Amino acid sequence: MAGIMQDSFGRVLDYVRISVTDRCNFRCIYCMPAEGIEWIPHEIILTYEDMLFLCSILTDLGVRKIRFTGGEPFVRKGFVPFLESVKEAHPHLRIAVTTNGSLLEKWAERISGLGLDSLNVSLDTLNAEKFLQTTRTGDLQRVLRGIDAVRQTKGVPVKLNSVVMRDFNFDEIAALVGFAAEKDATLRFIEFMPLDKDVWSQSQFVPAEEILSRLPDPDQWMSCPSKENRSNICGPSRYFRNSVTGQRVGIISAVSDHFCHLCNRLRVTSTGVVRPCLFGNFGVPLLEGLRAKDAGAVREGILHAVSRKPRRGATGVPSEEGAEAFQEERHMSQIGG
């Protein structure tokens, strides 16, 4: 019988995001600086055996959903067979993956048989030139073919994640909504979060309410019932349904309207550090216990992180003078999506 992890503020933590690698074949402008970052040595990255052991402990602690992220998870050799192993060992665990979509075409058939809860694909623009600009290395058509390949298998729900930036894709909001409707995918717009002073710009930040106002036929979008919003199923999104078409669109307002009081998650970096809050530097290293197969030590480390989960992270937009609002050395690719 699984236990229950509960922090000091009464939040039940049943969702964990695990980064399988810090490496990525893109260099997205909101994720890392143009020159890239120094890759973490392989010997201190979690092995798949480490992660399987960790999943067993997490499920014993009451975790019901695990999302695997990167970097880009599909660049790591053996990732899909690893997912198959997790599903075999934990058939009732809800498993999700976040990806940039560049390798989906290759893996679509095997992905369809995994019974994933969702496959989240980052897609900030439908313009090939701008896509190359924001990813620095990406090929939009390759990503679109991957989305189509997964859709054709009908084996996994697809979500599209778009980070909105004022001078980049703010004018594409309606087009992205139309694309998601065409592909029968759930679209989520995400506020540009101030996680890294090297890549964040206040001038590019667009608040959720302004995003909502730019949806096509804005008067037709109604807030979904509370049970469909910010639940374990929907995560941090506030969902809106079009009263004419029935399409749903989510908006993740991590900055302008934080949802810390509803946060039910932990994050584990690719080096095995469990972090209780995305917007903080505190973390507990688990790698030694995982390598030793010391379930007690790993469990103790996880629960220590839970006990340090803050009531609220530093999610506000920093002022131009407020550089201290940023934390050092936490590029999104290293934290895990």
Side-chain angles (χ1 to χ4, degrees), residues 67-68 201 206 221 263:
R67 177 175 297 280
F68 294 102
S201 169
V206 181
W221 297 90
C263 183

Side-chain angles (χ1 to χ4, degrees), residues 112-306:
S112 69
L114 290 172
L116 294 180
D117 179 62
S118 73
L119 183 71
N120 291 23
V121 183
S122 299
L123 185 68
D124 299 323
T125 177
L126 299 171
N127 180 294
E129 184 177 342
K130 289 202 295 184
F131 187 85
L132 180 58
Q133 174 190 339
T134 190
T135 63
R136 299 192 178 104
T137 59
D139 178 352
L140 175 62
Q141 292 307 314
R142 188 176 181 185
V143 173
L144 298 183
R145 290 196 304 269
I147 292 171
D148 282 339
V150 172
R151 284 182 58 249
Q152 289 168 9
T153 68
K154 303 185 185 303
V156 56
V158 175
K159 293 181 180 178
L160 304 176
N161 291 340
S162 296
V163 176
V164 179
M165 293 170 281
R166 188 169 302 281
D167 295 333
F168 178 70
N169 60 353
F170 184 57
D171 61 345
E172 288 192 75
I173 289 175
L176 287 163
V177 172
F179 176 83
E182 176 189 338
K183 303 300 181 182
D184 193 27
T186 299
L187 175 64
R188 287 139 26 115
F189 290 112
I190 305 171
E191 289 182 339
F192 190 14
M193 291 184 284
L195 285 165
D196 188 326
K197 67 181 181 181
D198 292 332
V199 299
W200 194 81
S201 169
Q202 187 172 19
S203 65
Q204 298 304 310
F205 173 74
V206 181
E209 292 308 310
E210 192 172 353
I211 296 172
L212 183 60
S213 73
R214 293 297 292 260
L215 296 181
D217 301 309
D219 293 341
Q220 295 178 3
W221 297 90
M222 307 298 173
S223 180
C224 290
S226 58
K227 67 180 181 179
E228 293 186 48
N229 275 315
R230 294 178 176 176
S231 65
N232 288 340
I233 295 175
C234 297
S237 286
R238 286 186 298 145
Y239 279 94
F240 298 84
R241 189 182 303 277
N242 189 292
S243 59
V244 176
T245 67
Q247 182 182 8
R248 281 200 320 160
V249 168
I251 297 182
I252 300 178
S253 53
V255 179
S256 66
D257 179 23
H258 74 91
F259 37 81
C260 297
H261 64 293
L262 296 171
C263 183
N264 66 332
R265 69 197 61 193
L266 299 171
R267 294 171 186 266
V268 180
T269 71
S270 57
T271 56
V273 176
V274 57
R275 297 176 56 143
C277 179
L278 174 62
F279 292 92
N281 271 340
F282 176 76
V284 179
L286 304 177
L287 186 61
E288 185 176 343
L290 290 170
R291 294 278 162 90
K293 296 295 184 291
D294 187 340
V298 174
R299 180 186 177 97
E300 182 180 351
I302 294 169
L303 294 178
H304 180 48
V306 170

Side-chain angles (χ1 to χ4, degrees), residues 15-21 23 48 51 55 64-76 78-87 93-104 107-108 110-123 147 150 155-161 186 188 190 233 265 267 336-337:
Y15 175 21
V16 176
R17 299 172 68 104
I18 298 176
S19 174
V20 303
T21 180
R23 306 191 180 211
Y48 287 135
M51 285 184 271
C55 287
R64 299 192 301 160
K65 177 178 179 179
I66 294 178
R67 177 175 297 280
F68 294 102
T69 71
E72 169 48 45
F74 288 98
V75 302
R76 181 163 179 176
F79 177 58
V80 173
F82 163 70
L83 290 177
E84 292 168 342
S85 298
V86 176
K87 194 63 179 178
L93 180 66
R94 295 170 56 208
I95 300 172
V97 174
T98 295
T99 173
N100 64 30
S102 61
L103 301 174
L104 288 180
W107 294 107
R110 285 185 70 175
I111 291 171
S112 69
L114 290 172
L116 294 180
D117 179 62
S118 73
L119 183 71
N120 291 23
V121 183
S122 299
L123 185 68
I147 292 171
V150 172
V156 56
V158 175
K159 293 181 180 178
L160 304 176
N161 291 340
T186 299
R188 287 139 26 115
I190 305 171
I233 295 175
R265 69 197 61 193
R267 294 171 186 266

Side-chain angles (χ1 to χ4, degrees), residues 27-61:
R27 299 288 183 273
C28 295
I29 60 175
Y30 51 76
C31 190
M32 66 175 75
E35 65 273 16
I37 58 174
E38 184 177 350
W39 300 130
I40 298 170
H42 282 292
E43 59 268 22
I44 60 172
I45 292 286
L46 292 174
T47 65
Y48 287 135
E49 185 179 8
D50 294 334
M51 285 184 271
L52 277 171
F53 186 59
L54 176 60
C55 287
S56 295
I57 295 170
L58 290 171
T59 54
D60 286 344
L61 287 170

